[in-house]
Amino acid sequence: MQALPLHAEDGYDLWLRYRPLPAADARAWQAAASQLVAADATPTQAAALAELNRGLEGLLGTAPARVSTVRRDGALVLGTPASSPLVAGLRLDAATLGREGYLIRSVRIDGHAATVIAGNDDIGVLYGVFAFLRRMLEGRASTGIDLRDAPRVQLRLLDHWDNLDRSVERGYAGQSLWDWHKLPGHLDPRYTDYARANASLGINGTVLNNVNAKALSLTAPWLEKAAALADVMRPYGIRVYLSARFSAPIEIGGLDTADPLDPAVRRWWRDKADEIYRLIPDFGGFLVKANSEGQPGPQDYGRSHADGANLLAAAVAPHGGIVMWRAFVYSHEQPDDRAKQAYSEFVPLDGSFARNVIVQVKNGAIDFQPREPFHPLFGAMPKTPLMMEFQLTKEYLGFATHLAYLGTLYEETLRADTHVQGEGSTVLRVVDGSLHGHGLTGMAGVANIGSDRNWSGSIFDQANWYAFGRLAWNPAQSARDIAAEWVRMTFTADPRFVAPVVDMMMASHEAVVDYMTPLGLHHLMARGHHYGPAPWDAGSERADWDPVYYHRADARGIGFDRTATGSNAVAQYAAPLAAGFGDVHRVPEKYLLWFHHVPWDFRLASGDTLWNELAHRYTRGVDEVRAMRATWAGLSAHVDAERHRQVANFLAIQQREAQWWRDASLAYWQSLNRLPLPAGEVPPPHPLSWYQSLSFPFAPGH
Amino acid sequence: MQALPLHAEDGYDLWLRYRPLPAADARAWQAAASQLVAADATPTQAAALAELNRGLEGLLGTAPARVSTVRRDGALVLGTPASSPLVAGLRLDAATLGREGYLIRSVRIDGHAATVIAGNDDIGVLYGVFAFLRRMLEGRASTGIDLRDAPRVQLRLLDHWDNLDRSVERGYAGQSLWDWHKLPGHLDPRYTDYARANASLGINGTVLNNVNAKALSLTAPWLEKAAALADVMRPYGIRVYLSARFSAPIEIGGLDTADPLDPAVRRWWRDKADEIYRLIPDFGGFLVKANSEGQPGPQDYGRSHADGANLLAAAVAPHGGIVMWRAFVYSHEQPDDRAKQAYSEFVPLDGSFARNVIVQVKNGAIDFQPREPFHPLFGAMPKTPLMMEFQLTKEYLGFATHLAYLGTLYEETLRADTHVQGEGSTVLRVVDGSLHGHGLTGMAGVANIGSDRNWSGSIFDQANWYAFGRLAWNPAQSARDIAAEWVRMTFTADPRFVAPVVDMMMASHEAVVDYMTPLGLHHLMARGHHYGPAPWDAGSERADWDPVYYHRADARGIGFDRTATGSNAVAQYAAPLAAGFGDVHRVPEKYLLWFHHVPWDFRLASGDTLWNELAHRYTRGVDEVRAMRATWAGLSAHVDAERHRQVANFLAIQQREAQWWRDASLAYWQSLNRLPLPAGEVPPPHPLSWYQSLSFPFAPGH
């Protein structure tokens, strides 16, 4: 009997598994990695060298000898022109790489074939090492290499909604990674692996604490904890940021106001920033959620969001810090369509933010729904840098157990055309700064990372972390290419596995949209924890927390009229787009019920009625999950048993829950429209009251 | 450069590491394990075979071939007389082994040397396999083996104080292992490793949920989750139990009462038990915390604890289940010394409990303090089976970062002499049933296990799980022997490491007592989370939640008078013991301030005053931790870097916190007695107000 390692494949190694390459590949790469010339004088140089050795040792069985000069074919040469005379001697065209870019090139040095991995700064070299190892893992050629790459976005950040008690708001992967109680005295080795994984994608910042922030995190003991984490991250090019509570000057500063124009408040924030930078010299800056969902903010004092952002920006500016000010705001008092409020509040402020402020905008105007049209703020604030906020954790997409690859969602948003400067004015060009000529650019992902052994709660949720990181580096990459890359690194490069799994991933997000919120429906989940369907929910303390506010279904029709006859949210988009969205016959069907209230017997492009099409979409979503299960079941020969079983179990859970979403939704719509299901559709097995009776007081993430 | 496995030694493997034996040992054992004769027809047989193969593969490099007959020297033969004709043929004297015992013996079979691992039941064989592997790990001889062992205690249980939201009350090792949201659809492989680890110690039951229970855990969806866990545990001889909320008939049953004498209530519990046993045929039974700290119970209806316990006992009796009824009660209305209340309530009920009820008593009368005299209930209820409740999780002993081996605490309690039937009437003999002739016996440990990779929050806390399990099997074992066994299995059998580490462990609990609560002081920790010193705390909603209630210090003296001039708690002990405890000159000094209020200038055996001795004890505790740090620092050659660093970091934290306990305590006592510190004692570096100002709103476990 062959005893296998107990937990060799529990998902901990992510896409950095470095398992032995197939023999032919290994031979080729061994020839190309016979020696290693690299410095380790700085922490980042040491990290690059260690990663390369770890990778080569794993992939090839042995790491090459480290030498000081090239004496034979096959040397790997790492460095910057400053750190390596060999690199300097190659006179590489590194000018356009910037600080973080890298190049990898097959060269000749002293008559020998060699491969150089170079950058203008140590961090570029580290990124190059990860790119080099990715190339090996993907099974590509070891010779004739001529790669160069540099990030198109400046701030590539994970936002952790991690609380000080180690719970994670909307987290489905265990507790927070940050073991605050043991910090700064103990640094879990996992912090380093977190930094490695992020650096492998080019992520260069991490906001440690929840945007629903506690002032306590800005007190000395907690800053020391954050500083200890910053020390771990620094060699990997990752800066630490903190979410700041706007009322901190009152709560921990002893002031009686947090008015952004009050001199004592301004002084308090300046002193606080000085204190932080003494502990964390490369502190990134603040993320702020203000005057939203009960958080304090400048409006408490009759000031604007710009006043608030500029207050903090002035405090960190002398240290080179920035402020990310969230545009996710909607007012308790405001009766207007919630989808419109961020635009209404922020567009008038365009041009009034300090130079080191960037406004952080969610991909859509409601809240990370399975599908939303892009947020109308993109393109609408030409004088203000805007950064993208995507959600990696699947708050509205089935938590950790549903397979939903979000690369396609991110791609759909980034490639959407705002038309604000004519065709081609994509969201991507807002985000990378090219549309309006901004140098300060950014993309943030609400992290899906926790203490679970596999980091993200499921193996496939690792792909969303991966896709986010790769898109933050270059938002023009294709979701399909990224999926293929991830599959090869995470499982195997065998095309018999890669092709069906990539297809499955590419179809997965649409499947969730189908079984949860087809045709532009949105916000139909249960209150509070957001687990499972509850389109019937009503009577919250705020109308716009209720599904009935969003679907507006009755006996005659369904959907939210956001045209001129309704809330006129369409008018927040550029004219050509508004015209299309506002026309019930031209709007893309995927946004139909987002923008329009239509009768149940409205005819769709298919010729079928809305009601029949709706029913078919729900069923199509369930069928897609069933097909995913079958695909996965047939791939067991390519995957270790532990990861295969976990994915298979989760797909079974997903199928059950997809069916539940379909059945509960149809039962509810039928209770309103009294229409029969179209022929062939199986009726829900339970009466509506049964679905309404389900309750899940301990659903995670809440 | 030699790349090492990333997380080879993160503590996950516990004491079941199965790393290669030293070469000489390996050769000897290879000769004794050349073949394997074993059945795998039942899940438990399969588990025993898999464990043996895993162990031999790890320890020796290869697992032996499995054969059906013995053809050469060195066969290992596993089985029961029923499962193995070879075992049956040996006619072993297995009668006294009972169902769970085992024997391991060097024998000859068909002229060949062989080793037999046998029991009367599959579970005995599994326990034998673990004992065999332990023998190998400990570096003992492979020949001339003649071992037999059987448990002295029937119920050997872990109590998980795990909540349905995955938080763990008083848990310092991450979240609950039980990922309720993904159950029953996904069974984490870790559940199996939990079962393996427990079976290796002989633990045969697990209470899944917190004694502060939710009724919801008894509803169908949650019972299905529990049943899924029971299916994992069953092959390892582990039964699942549930904590039951006494008011469940109201909360989930729709009744308007939970009165134990109400026929509808009785029927509800019978039906509920029937439902549970349909899902979990070997369900162990219920654990109940009633009428204590706000929990509902029979007294809400004017009924006794016996009425309550017998209600549930009747429900599970037809299925062979039992009820563990906790004696940890103290009343909101009762002004009497809290230490006396459990005795006062339970002793009058002796003889009135049903036959399948066992009363679960904490080791001491207050609440798992660093040191308490044994609970006076032990020995005081001769007609009632009493089981021991120890706390493994270090609620009052420094959480996960303080090294405190609790084997010595458990040993001190178990070996305490109650004197109720003359000398030798030890607590141990109450627990193993021999003193009063009970067949139903048990020992429960409040688990220190969570989702942390190393299970217990620290490497050394694994030793407390280990020691508890070994003592539950045989309460007469020595704490030192168990420590040595654990060290050899967890680290190395090298005596240069074992000796100093065992010494360190043996002294560690006393060190914590010294720096937290010397000379019989108790309950001096901060309110709520219990992290850190707060002897000044007063003004809680209940006086007996406050440190000042327990130490009663003022300008003249300190301590709780529990003699006849005070609460007279001493009278709850047998006469000879009461006389000793009650005499300020005869009471063991470690219990002095537990039983007596004495002046600051009281002279101790050392000749020194109480005040001076108190100061010296605090300092001695801090010094001991400093010595532990130095010892550990010198042992790095014997331990992998990751575990060594974690322990070193935690010892540094412990030293800092030990100093904090000493300084804060001395500053407070000085504020009352105005006495100078004895010569040579360093004054606290901060004023008392500084220690009082510290607050830790996010300390774990609360």
Side-chain angles (χ1 to χ4, degrees), chain A residues 115-132:
Chain A
T115 307
V116 64
I117 304 175
N120 289 319
D121 185 280
D122 289 343
I123 188 62
V125 178
L126 178 62
Y127 289 157
V129 163
F130 280 113
F132 180 80

Side-chain angles (χ1 to χ4, degrees), chain A residues 1-53:
Chain A
M1 173 181 282
Q2 175 69 24
L4 292 166
L6 181 52
H7 282 282
E9 295 286 349
D10 54 17
Y12 184 84
D13 292 339
L14 296 163
W15 47 86
L16 302 173
R17 290 166 60 247
Y18 303 143
R19 295 295 187 282
L21 290 180
D25 287 357
R27 273 191 303 276
W29 281 104
Q30 267 151 0
S34 66
Q35 300 189 317
L36 182 51
V37 187
D40 62 354
T42 71
T44 300
Q45 288 170 8
L49 182 60
E51 192 70 32
L52 188 59
N53 274 314

Side-chain angles (χ1 to χ4, degrees), chain A residues 659-681:
Chain A
Q659 190 72 51
W660 167 36
W661 268 92
R662 172 203 180 268
D663 293 338
S665 301
L666 287 176
Y668 174 66
W669 305 134
Q670 282 193 295
S671 77
L672 301 173
N673 66 20
R674 305 286 167 193
L675 293 169
L677 285 174
E681 288 290 349

Side-chain angles (χ1 to χ4, degrees), chain A residues 1-7 10 12-13 49-50 53-54 57 63-64 164-166 172-175 179 181-190 193 196 214 216 222 399-401 451-453 457 531 642 645-647 649-650 653 656-657 695 697-700, chain B residues 1-7 10 12-13 49-50 53-54 57-58 63-64 164-166 172-175 179 181-182 184-190 193 196 214 216 222 399-401 451-453 457 531 642 645-647 649-650 653 656-657 695 697-700:
Chain A
M1 173 181 282
Q2 175 69 24
L4 292 166
L6 181 52
H7 282 282
D10 54 17
Y12 184 84
D13 292 339
L49 182 60
N53 274 314
R54 181 202 292 262
E57 169 85 20
L164 305 188
D165 64 359
R166 280 193 89 177
Y172 312 104
Q175 288 182 296
D179 190 350
H181 184 70
K182 299 200 188 94
L183 283 168
H186 179 64
L187 293 169
D188 192 313
R190 190 160 186 174
D193 289 327
R196 288 177 51 234
K214 299 279 184 196
L216 200 70
W222 291 86
F399 296 5
T401 46
S451 63
D452 273 7
R453 183 66 183 164
Y531 176 62
E642 185 171 338
R645 187 168 46 242
Q646 186 186 89
V647 174
N649 288 345
F650 287 6
I653 291 171
R656 217 157 40 234
E657 295 187 352
S695 95
F698 298 105
Chain B
M1 173 182 280
Q2 175 70 23
L4 291 167
L6 181 53
H7 283 280
D10 54 17
Y12 184 85
D13 292 338
L49 182 61
N53 274 313
R54 181 202 292 263
E57 170 84 22
L164 305 188
D165 64 359
R166 281 193 87 177
Y172 312 104
Q175 288 182 296
D179 189 351
H181 184 70
K182 299 199 187 92
H186 179 62
L187 293 169
D188 192 313
R190 190 160 186 172
D193 289 327
R196 288 177 51 236
K214 298 280 183 194
L216 200 70
W222 291 86
F399 296 5
T401 45
S451 63
D452 272 7
R453 182 66 183 165
Y531 175 62
E642 185 171 336
R645 186 167 48 241
Q646 188 186 89
V647 174
N649 288 345
F650 287 5
I653 292 171
R656 219 160 35 237
E657 294 187 353
S695 96
F698 298 104

Side-chain angles (χ1 to χ4, degrees), chain B residues 139-470:
Chain B
R140 302 195 188 280
S142 61
T143 54
I145 307 175
D146 186 7
L147 277 180
R148 52 186 303 130
D149 205 1
R152 281 179 63 172
V153 175
Q154 185 187 349
L155 308 172
R156 307 178 298 276
L157 266 58
L158 288 180
D159 291 358
H160 287 268
W161 287 359
D162 291 16
N163 298 315
L164 305 188
D165 64 359
R166 281 193 87 177
S167 64
V168 179
E169 185 170 329
R170 311 308 175 184
Y172 312 104
Q175 288 182 296
S176 170
L177 274 190
W178 322 131
D179 189 351
W180 293 114
H181 184 70
K182 299 199 187 92
L183 284 168
H186 179 62
L187 293 169
D188 192 313
R190 190 160 186 172
Y191 303 148
T192 304
D193 289 327
Y194 166 88
R196 288 177 51 236
N198 279 321
S200 80
L201 305 174
I203 288 172
N204 65 1
T206 179
V207 185
L208 298 177
N209 60 322
N210 193 351
V211 288
N212 293 318
K214 298 280 183 194
L216 200 70
S217 68
L218 299 176
T219 59
W222 291 86
L223 292 174
E224 282 168 31
K225 296 169 193 282
L229 289 173
D231 290 342
V232 176
M233 310 290 171
R234 191 170 295 113
Y236 296 90
I238 298 168
R239 285 183 172 201
V240 155
Y241 298 73
L242 290 173
S243 292
R245 185 163 163 90
F246 197 79
S247 52
I250 300 171
E251 292 155 2
I252 61 169
L255 303 186
D256 56 7
T257 179
D259 182 345
L261 302 192
D262 184 288
V265 171
R266 301 183 73 80
R267 189 173 330 111
W268 188 87
W269 281 109
R270 272 203 312 276
D271 291 347
K272 182 52 70 181
D274 293 347
E275 179 190 355
I276 295 173
Y277 279 92
R278 276 193 299 276
L279 289 164
I280 311 174
D282 59 347
F283 179 65
F286 294 121
L287 171 63
V288 186
K289 173 177 180 177
N291 290 122
S292 173
E293 298 184 321
Q295 293 297 314
Q299 294 177 339
D300 302 348
Y301 307 94
R303 316 300 184 188
S304 74
H305 280 288
D307 293 330
N310 295 346
L311 163 73
L312 274 68
V316 295
H319 307 283
I322 58 125
V323 169
M324 297 168 288
W325 195 267
R326 289 175 95 232
F328 178 65
V329 298
Y330 59 99
S331 162
H332 267 68
E333 288 74 37
Q334 177 63 265
D336 201 8
D337 178 3
R338 180 171 143 188
K340 290 170 61 183
Q341 295 186 38
Y343 180 101
S344 305
E345 279 209 48
F346 275 80
V347 167
L349 299 174
D350 191 26
S352 49
F353 289 96
R355 293 170 59 96
N356 60 331
V357 173
I358 185 164
V359 172
Q360 182 165 315
V361 184
K362 290 190 182 185
N363 60 291
I366 295 295
D367 190 11
F368 298 136
Q369 290 306 295
R371 168 171 280 135
E372 301 191 28
F374 75 85
H375 200 300
L377 270 175
F378 288 108
M381 296 182 68
K383 297 182 207 152
T384 308
L386 298 190
M387 66 189 284
M388 174 63 75
E389 179 177 320
F390 283 128
Q391 191 178 44
L392 283 55
T393 187
K394 302 208 308 302
E395 175 180 1
Y396 300 103
L397 286 145
F399 296 5
T401 45
H402 293 213
L403 197 164
Y405 172 58
L406 302 184
T408 49
L409 183 160
Y410 306 153
E411 181 181 67
E412 178 173 299
T413 305
L414 290 165
R415 298 191 178 186
D417 195 339
T418 70
H419 287 273
V420 293
Q421 296 194 0
E423 214 169 320
S425 305
T426 56
V427 171
L428 191 165
R429 293 190 55 219
V430 179
V431 171
D432 76 6
S434 62
L435 190 67
H436 297 123
H438 290 297
L440 181 57
T441 58
M443 209 158 119
V446 179
N448 64 355
I449 299 166
S451 63
D452 272 7
R453 182 66 183 165
N454 64 23
W455 301 88
S456 298
S458 83
I459 302 295
F460 274 88
D461 279 338
Q462 297 175 356
N464 295 328
W465 179 6
Y466 189 89
F468 166 78
R470 297 289 281 149

Side-chain angles (χ1 to χ4, degrees), chain A residues 630-650:
Chain A
T631 299
W632 186 256
L635 294 169
S636 61
H638 298 276
V639 192
D640 54 283
E642 185 171 338
R643 288 191 299 172
H644 190 270
R645 187 168 46 242
Q646 186 186 89
V647 174
N649 288 345
F650 287 6

